[in-house]
Amino acid sequence: MKSRNLAELEAFAAIARARSFRKAAEQRGVSVSALSLTMRNLEERMGVRLLHRTTRSVSPTEAGQRLLERLQPALDDIATAVDMVNDFRDRPTGTVRINAPIPALEFRLAPLAQPFLAANPDVSLELISDAARVDIVEHGFDAGVRFGEDLARDMVAVPLGGPLRYLVLGAPDYLLRCGTPGQPEDLLRHACIRHRFPGGSIFPWEFARDGRAVTITPEGPLTVNDPHVAMRAGLDGVGLVRLPEEYARPAIASGGLVPVLEEWCPILPSWFLYYPSRRQMSSAFRTFLGFVARSRPTAR
């Protein structure tokens, strides 16, 4: 098979999996126009349309779906064969792609990037922020990061850092105007800054104390999908905000935000780095896993 043909088939598989020229182009590090030209050349040479294209979506045709079903295992086998050769190198090579929510990226993975890349100069690291529950295999990721209860059974999960806690916080002027909640149920009478997940659901606020668990669906005039925006709104007194404690520490120290209901905010398990149990592991990702394991804090 000519190398050009293989590159075109890889490009088709990336587009068909991502259902998007833009996302596939980002994954492959090329422009959308270059990827579109590659697909046009492939379809012209094969004499059949492989993708349905509209202004809003991309999906495989029947011919494209059949090609993808036979093609993807072959591409995986080629990648595995190439990586087996990489195992004979003195240093690991390749790219490690991780999908994770912003807090996990900022406080768990980003601090590992510099020392990992310095120790492994032939490895590239892609840290992609995404709060959606994506299929990491389908979207070409080596691993993802989520809480333990959100993981599928066929995934291997390793702790990423230590336990964490979400706090409810308010600006001093907001608490002066609206009062300080004493029970989780009091939040129903407050303006809360809500977080909406990509799937459309609102992030519930969960509390626990003395064996009693309470879940509140917050209500308020502002809904966001980024913790940095939520932090800004909380500091501005728009309403109460729920954030990871690590995010809140500087604002608490400066007096910009005040924790409330602290005794109701439980310690949560750590984030987990997860990956498919049945998938062949690349040398680059295997090296990254070893680095994560060595970087975890040890219990005292």
Side-chain angles (χ1 to χ4, degrees), residues 16-33:
R17 288 194 310 266
R19 302 295 178 103
S20 165
F21 275 85
R22 179 184 59 80
K23 291 180 180 179
E26 291 174 354
Q27 292 174 10
R28 296 178 63 78
V30 299
S31 67
V32 173
S33 59

Side-chain angles (χ1 to χ4, degrees), residues 139-284:
H139 288 79
F141 291 101
D142 292 287
V145 177
R146 292 295 182 269
F147 286 121
E149 63 268 21
D150 293 334
L151 303 180
R153 292 182 179 179
D154 61 345
M155 294 290 171
V156 178
V158 295
L160 188 64
L164 65 156
R165 183 167 70 147
Y166 275 79
L167 295 177
V168 177
L169 309 117
D173 65 324
Y174 173 86
L175 296 175
L176 186 63
R177 285 186 286 112
C178 302
T180 300
Q183 302 286 331
E185 292 83 357
D186 294 343
L187 294 171
L188 298 175
R189 296 189 293 273
H190 280 266
C192 297
I193 299 163
R194 312 191 310 164
H195 183 106
R196 189 181 298 280
F197 289 119
S201 63
I202 295 295
F203 186 25
W205 292 12
E206 298 177 345
F207 304 92
R209 182 184 182 187
D210 299 330
R212 178 174 171 239
V214 179
T215 299
I216 299 294
T217 299
E219 296 292 341
L222 179 64
T223 302
V224 302
N225 69 344
D226 186 295
H228 295 99
V229 179
M231 169 78 82
R232 180 69 265 168
L235 288 166
D236 290 343
V238 174
L240 298 176
V241 61
R242 187 171 185 258
L243 293 167
E245 188 171 8
E246 289 165 309
Y247 263 85
R249 281 174 186 157
I252 294 172
S254 69
L257 289 174
V258 177
V260 300
L261 299 173
E262 278 192 272
E263 67 278 11
W264 283 94
C265 297
I267 301 296
L268 303 175
S270 68
W271 295 102
F272 284 86
L273 184 77
Y274 70 96
Y275 56 94
S277 58
R278 299 186 182 93
R279 189 177 184 181
Q280 178 69 29
M281 193 183 300
S282 71
S283 60

Side-chain angles (χ1 to χ4, degrees), residues 63-163:
Q65 185 61 38
R66 291 190 179 186
L67 175 61
L68 181 65
E69 290 170 358
R70 298 293 298 272
L71 180 62
Q72 192 58 60
L75 292 176
D76 290 341
D77 286 344
I78 291 172
T80 298
V82 170
D83 203 69
M84 286 175 62
V85 176
N86 286 335
D87 285 341
F88 288 91
R89 295 175 181 268
D90 293 334
R91 300 188 302 193
T93 64
T95 299
V96 177
R97 302 187 72 240
I98 308 293
N99 174 288
I102 290 177
L105 284 181
E106 187 166 348
F107 293 103
R108 295 293 186 263
L109 290 171
L112 299 179
Q114 189 281 328
F116 173 74
L117 294 174
N120 300 278
D122 295 329
V123 176
S124 297
L125 187 60
E126 290 189 22
L127 303 177
I128 306 301
S129 168
D130 194 345
R133 295 190 181 189
V134 302
D135 184 326
I136 58 173
V137 176
E138 180 181 346
H139 288 79
F141 291 101
D142 292 287
V145 177
R146 292 295 182 269
F147 286 121
E149 63 268 21
D150 293 334
L151 303 180
R153 292 182 179 179
D154 61 345
M155 294 290 171
V156 178
V158 295
L160 188 64

